[in-house]
Amino acid sequence: IEPALIDALNIWVEVLKIEIGFCVRMGVLCGRKWKPQAGRYKRNQKRLDCPACVHAVPSTGRQLFQSQIAASIPILSNCRVHPIWSACQKKGRRMDRAGQYRDLKAEIESVVAGETYLPARYASAACLLFLAFAPRFFWTGFYVVDPGKADELVVGPYQGTLGCLRIPFGKGVCGACAKQEKSILVPDVHAFPGHIACDSRTNSEIVVPVFEASGALAAVLDVDSEQPDAFDEIDLLGLEAICSNLLTA
């Protein structure tokens, strides 16, 4: 990367921190949402996203954001940062999301370390994941294997609208994950055979198995989204990493 580009990016981040108030975490844009505060940036009263997710901002808000940054930093109009922004936007968001999953894994491990009550582990993970990725994560929670019915899942701790109470192994995405004991990513739930519509607003889903230290299936992590094709391999790998030692950390 050219030194001039690095300098421009450093100035850019400072403007975001001071003038606009975007959230900056670990030296990189974290992608978490924010609301304008009193005395801060008020020209657009609508809720905006970090630049890592600026594609989710309404076009008027995005245009205002880009024009304000360009006006605040004249060098952006004449350097490579400005045209690179839109082209690298998706890539940057993906890289940031992978880092966010790594941070969340460490945070969840720290919170549940030494906890012997399993629902507390499930509840903590569901809460932190939901808060980190809402509104893309529309429903986030666990279906646990019923101790009295080894071939049936029963709803556990979750964040979101009312979930189905019980799901037999092999039924729907969660049941298929439990039966196969492997993760399932579904871009379009309406095309998935036997899909169980706990909430009709769900359009895509990802389910990851959770195992006990012995290797036996303990639960599945279920994440639904109102957005079609909302999940990708970064989500899959990130959620699998979190679930891999959720019960053993």
Side-chain angles (χ1 to χ4, degrees):
I1 301 177
E2 297 179 3
L5 179 58
I6 296 176
D7 292 339
L9 287 171
N10 289 333
I11 297 173
W12 185 24
V13 169
E14 289 303 314
V15 170
L16 293 178
K17 291 166 64 177
I18 298 172
E19 181 174 320
I20 302 180
F22 278 103
C23 177
V24 177
R25 181 183 185 191
M26 300 295 288
V28 297
L29 299 168
C30 76
R32 293 178 183 270
K33 294 186 173 182
W34 64 282
K35 291 183 178 179
Q37 302 295 322
R40 304 299 289 274
Y41 186 64
K42 296 182 178 179
R43 299 184 195 184
N44 184 358
Q45 294 299 322
K46 294 181 179 180
R47 181 168 178 161
L48 298 179
D49 292 328
C50 277
C53 298
V54 74
H55 70 287
V57 179
S59 59
T60 53
R62 182 167 59 250
Q63 291 166 3
L64 179 61
F65 163 76
Q66 292 174 334
S67 62
Q68 175 64 19
I69 292 300
S72 300
I73 314 175
I75 190 174
L76 287 179
S77 301
N78 301 314
C79 78
R80 295 169 58 188
V81 176
H82 193 52
I84 283 178
W85 170 248
S86 59
C88 293
Q89 176 182 318
K90 184 175 182 181
K91 181 179 179 181
R93 176 173 171 265
R94 286 170 58 86
M95 292 175 64
D96 178 69
R97 192 153 38 88
Q100 198 170 356
Y101 272 115
R102 288 193 294 271
D103 291 345
L104 278 169
K105 183 177 186 296
E107 185 176 3
I108 291 171
E109 289 175 352
S110 175
V111 170
V112 305
E115 177 56 57
T116 58
Y117 185 56
L118 296 186
R121 289 175 174 260
Y122 292 135
S124 299
C127 176
L128 291 173
L129 282 167
F130 182 79
L131 291 176
F133 295 110
R136 186 168 65 95
F137 281 27
F138 172 66
W139 195 97
T140 307
F142 294 86
Y143 281 93
V144 300
V145 178
D146 187 342
K149 297 182 179 180
D151 59 349
E152 192 167 280
L153 298 170
V154 60
V155 70
Y158 67 88
Q159 300 279 326
T161 57
L162 184 65
C164 297
L165 296 185
R166 291 182 174 273
I167 300 176
F169 278 30
K171 301 294 184 180
V173 185
C174 289
C177 173
K179 183 176 182 179
Q180 300 171 23
E181 296 191 357
K182 66 178 184 180
S183 302
I184 300 178
L185 192 160
V186 183
D188 180 5
V189 296
H190 307 293
F192 188 86
H195 169 63
I196 300 174
C198 298
D199 191 310
S200 60
R201 289 171 290 180
T202 297
N203 285 302
S204 57
E205 185 173 2
I206 185 170
V207 185
V208 175
V210 181
F211 298 99
E212 299 175 353
S214 64
L217 180 71
V220 299
L221 168 63
D222 180 25
V223 182
D224 299 345
S225 179
E226 292 180 290
Q227 304 171 20
D229 197 14
F231 308 107
D232 58 19
E233 188 174 351
I234 288 181
D235 296 299
L236 183 65
L237 295 176
L239 295 174
E240 285 182 338
I242 288 172
C243 290
S244 65
N245 65 342
L246 179 60
L247 302 186
T248 57

